[in-house]
């Protein structure tokens, strides 16, 4: 049920909103979340990467949900376990406030909301509110708008958005877009927009373009089935890309965007953005996971065939892209995978087609120019390009040790490069060279003593290098003690755990002089009980789980 407001915005502003805005705020002091987001937004409405809401607590060493992750995981994986009693109590308070706005009523609502994340009871709450008799839609909307624009706490803002979404015929587009640009608020904004046909899917599309993480996922999912040619074209080129996992959106974008149909152009007649988008979509579809994969895409075989036709034409013309290379390698794995192919023939995956496509993929991957493309990416100053080059090198089993080592000689604090290099220590001289470069890291600056740090962000870039180095030393007993010792003395918990696992994997006879004493000191200073237990187990040779 949706309420339709009979009042105009001007009348509503004069006679309704002011009364709620004049109520004493029960939430924490500070700038309203809405105002903070409005002030931080770029001209296109997007927020700076990593922007935190003003009510985000200071880091305390505890693992916290990323923005929007709790709501996203609960709606996609865990399912909602609504609290009907809490929802009924909030609905009752909301109704009372619309009838007689009061400071006490707003305080009571704040206390109810503060009991836990609103996502835990949102369905029951909407049901309870919409089933309440004689609710004045203008006052309901005014209350929601007041909470959404004034509150300094995210759950109160979410409640405001929820209420705004229940009343049609009001001008809330910019309000919702401003709030929805942040992943933490996006789900509630998306639901509000979806419940408001008067806003239209253009508002959802605008929100999708402003967001990158869970907000992108939530908004694009609700664009499924659109007939708008501009939106469909965007879905295939950009819409599926997000900072969580492209796999969440690959299937909905391929189906709604019409990937197979879009690839029906003659080879050479496809724009670069669409071909790159197709490559990344197919890569995500093969990977699968949280959403339907390539085998579940009805036109997956046809889309794959047409994609290969286009790549063949580009390669014949001397063009090479690592995006295509990764997609080719993923398709090769898909085509030789042990699947129930008989049941997939209806989707076009016949033996004949798979054999033909596999031959095309192998011929394309055999082109010698791919190695040069990978090496060029590894030499790039762009970190994302280097990461893609490293991934492609692993897929094709290209030896990149010398290039990686040369980069680390210039820039030793580079965790992704260390990760790729440590996988290529097949010869003793490579291990020796890697260990010599390890000592160029700021090990003393890492080994400041144990603490409860998560070790996230640029300040812990050197600590992240140990994440890539120390685990691989487990297969090289006695080697790399300076790195292990620094990890053992690191304030980052995972560094210390990695050091313990590596030492536990070595025979005691391979421990360097001073290792036992270092462990005893670590045990005495360790602030975390579970880590202290692992230290004791390592000292006594009990092994680690």
């Amino acid at each position: 049920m949706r309420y339709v407001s009979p009042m105009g915005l001007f009348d509503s502003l004069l006679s309704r909103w002011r009364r709620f805005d004049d109520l004493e705020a029960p939430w924490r002091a500070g700038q309203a979340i809405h105002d903070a987001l409005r002030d931080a937004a770029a001209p296109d409405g997007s927020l700076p990467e990593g922007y935190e809401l003003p009510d985000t607590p200071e880091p305390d060493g505890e693992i916290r949900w990323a923005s929007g992750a709790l709501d996203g995981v609960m709606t996609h994986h865990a399912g909602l376990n609504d609290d009907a009693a809490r929802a009924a109590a909030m609905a009752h308070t909301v109704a009372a406030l619309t009838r007689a706005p009061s400071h006490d009523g707003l305080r009571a609502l704040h206390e109810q909301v503060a009991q836990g994340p609103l996502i835990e009871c949102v369905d029951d709450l909407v049901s309870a509110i919409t089933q309440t008799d004689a609710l004045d839609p203008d006052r309901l909307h005014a209350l929601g708008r007041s909470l959404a624009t004034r509150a300094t706490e995210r759950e109160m803002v979410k409640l405001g958005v929820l209420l705004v979404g229940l009343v049609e015929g009001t001008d809330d587009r910019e309000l919702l877009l401003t709030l929805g640009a942040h992943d933490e608020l996006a789900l509630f904004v998306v639901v509000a927009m979806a419940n408001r046909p008067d806003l239209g899917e253009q508002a959802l599309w605008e929100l999708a373009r402003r967001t990158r993480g869970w907000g992108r996922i939530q908004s694009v999912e609700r664009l499924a089935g659109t007939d708008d040619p501009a939106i469909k074209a965007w879905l295939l080129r950009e819409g599926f890309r997000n900072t969580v996992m492209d796999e969440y959106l690959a299937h909905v974008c391929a189906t709604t965007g019409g990937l197979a149909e879009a690839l029906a152009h003659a080879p050479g007649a496809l724009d670069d953005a669409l071909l790159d988008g197709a490559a990344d979509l197919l890569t995500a579809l093969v990977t699968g996971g949280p959403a339907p994969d390539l085998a579940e895409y009805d036109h997956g075989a046809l889309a794959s065939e047409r994609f290969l036709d286009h790549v063949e034409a580009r390669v014949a013309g001397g063009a090479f892209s690592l995006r295509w290379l990764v997609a080719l390698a993923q398709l090769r794995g898909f085509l030789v995978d042990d699947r129930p192919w008989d049941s997939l023939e209806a989707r076009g995956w016949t033996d004949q087609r798979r054999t033909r496509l596999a031959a095309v993929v192998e011929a394309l991957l055999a082109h010698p120019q791919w190695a040069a493309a990978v090496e060029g990416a590894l030499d790039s100053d762009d970190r994302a390009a280097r990461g893609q080059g490293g991934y492609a090198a692993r897929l094709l089993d290209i030896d990149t040790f010398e290039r990686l080592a040369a980069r680390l000689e210039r820039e030793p604090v580079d965790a992704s490069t260390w990760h790729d290099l440590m996988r290529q220590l097949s010869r003793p001289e490579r291990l020796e060279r890697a260990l010599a470069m390890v000592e160029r890291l700021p090990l003393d600056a890492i080994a400041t003593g144990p603490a409860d740090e998560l070790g996230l962000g640029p300040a812990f870039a050197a600590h992240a290098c140990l994440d890539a180095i120390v685990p691989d030393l487990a297969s090289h007993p006695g080697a790399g003690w300076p790195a292990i010792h620094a990890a053992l003395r690191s304030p980052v918990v995972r560094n210390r755990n990695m050091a313990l696992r590596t030492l536990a994997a070595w025979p005691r006879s391979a421990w360097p002089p001073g290792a036992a004493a270092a462990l005893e000191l670590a045990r005495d200073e360790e602030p975390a009980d579970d880590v202290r237990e692992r230290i004791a187990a390592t000292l006594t040779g009990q092994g680690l789980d």
Side-chain angles (χ1 to χ4, degrees), residues 151-429:
T152 62
E153 298 170 7
R154 64 189 67 192
E155 298 302 319
M156 291 298 290
V157 174
K158 291 177 183 178
L159 176 59
V161 169
L162 183 151
L163 299 181
V164 166
L166 294 176
V167 184
E168 291 183 42
T170 54
D171 185 10
D172 300 306
R173 187 178 190 276
E174 285 307 313
L175 167 67
L176 293 175
L177 285 173
T178 297
L179 294 172
H182 197 280
D183 286 330
E184 180 62 31
L185 306 174
L187 172 61
F188 283 77
V189 169
V190 166
V191 172
M193 287 182 169
N195 285 337
R196 293 275 302 269
D198 57 316
L199 292 173
E201 69 179 11
Q202 291 296 315
L204 267 175
W205 185 27
E206 175 63 27
L207 181 61
R209 287 178 287 175
R210 292 188 183 191
T211 50
R212 303 181 186 92
W214 281 103
R216 170 68 62 88
I217 293 171
Q218 304 284 6
S219 50
V220 167
E221 285 177 337
R222 277 136 182 107
L223 290 170
T226 180
D227 292 323
D228 188 305
I231 298 177
K232 293 171 70 172
W234 177 80
L235 291 176
L236 295 179
R237 291 162 176 81
E238 291 293 333
F240 63 92
R241 304 186 193 280
N242 66 86
T243 58
V244 183
M245 287 177 69
D246 287 356
E247 290 81 359
Y248 274 105
L249 295 176
H251 187 267
V252 68
C253 288
T255 53
T256 296
L259 177 60
E261 296 87 344
L263 293 175
H265 296 286
L270 210 65
D271 61 276
D272 292 344
L274 178 54
L275 186 56
D276 286 348
D280 292 344
L281 275 170
L282 290 171
T283 295
L285 284 166
V286 171
T287 303
D293 61 17
L294 185 60
E296 298 168 274
Y297 172 30
D298 286 343
H299 303 294
L302 181 58
S304 300
E305 185 174 62
R306 289 175 172 172
F307 169 75
L308 292 176
D309 289 342
H310 288 289
V311 174
E312 272 191 308
R314 296 294 183 96
V315 168
F320 298 86
S321 165
L322 291 189
R323 292 183 187 276
W324 313 340
L325 174 60
V326 171
L328 291 172
Q330 293 287 71
L331 283 172
R332 176 174 63 180
F334 176 84
L335 291 167
V336 301
D337 196 14
D338 184 17
R339 294 175 178 270
W341 292 110
D342 290 346
S343 65
L344 297 177
E345 286 195 0
R347 292 192 171 113
W349 295 110
T350 63
D351 288 343
Q352 182 181 14
R353 175 178 259 167
R354 286 190 294 112
T355 300
R356 185 177 70 255
L357 296 185
V360 172
V361 168
E362 291 297 340
L364 286 169
L365 288 174
H367 199 291
Q369 188 61 34
W370 290 119
V374 170
E375 291 167 356
L378 292 173
D379 290 338
S380 171
D381 291 330
D382 181 82
R383 189 175 296 273
R386 294 203 304 272
Q388 190 176 53
Y391 179 57
R394 291 194 297 275
L395 288 174
L396 296 181
D397 197 25
I398 297 174
D399 190 329
T400 59
F401 181 86
E402 290 301 326
R403 272 185 163 74
L404 297 172
R407 175 164 292 282
L408 289 174
E409 292 284 357
R410 301 190 304 269
E411 184 184 347
V413 181
D414 186 336
S416 63
T417 302
W418 275 112
H419 181 76
D420 289 339
L421 181 114
M422 294 299 292
R423 294 184 171 196
Q424 300 184 56
L425 302 184
S426 56
R427 299 197 297 270
E429 64 271 18

Side-chain angles (χ1 to χ4, degrees), residues 508-520:
R508 186 67 175 256
S509 60
W511 284 15
L519 280 171
E520 290 170 356

Side-chain angles (χ1 to χ4, degrees), residues 12 16-17 20-21 137-147:
S12 184
R16 302 298 186 191
W17 292 356
F20 289 112
D21 286 352
D138 293 299
R139 292 197 177 201
L140 184 69
H141 177 266
L143 174 60
R145 181 108 187 176
S146 181
L147 297 179

Side-chain angles (χ1 to χ4, degrees), residues 7 11 20 44 69 90 109 113 149 179 183 259 268 276 319-320 371 400 414 480 489 501 505-506:
M7 293 183 59
D11 291 336
F20 289 112
D44 65 357
M90 277 192 282
L109 183 62
V113 171
T149 56
L179 294 172
D183 286 330
L259 177 60
D276 286 348
F320 298 86
T400 59
D414 186 336
R489 299 288 302 159
R501 290 194 176 279
W506 290 0

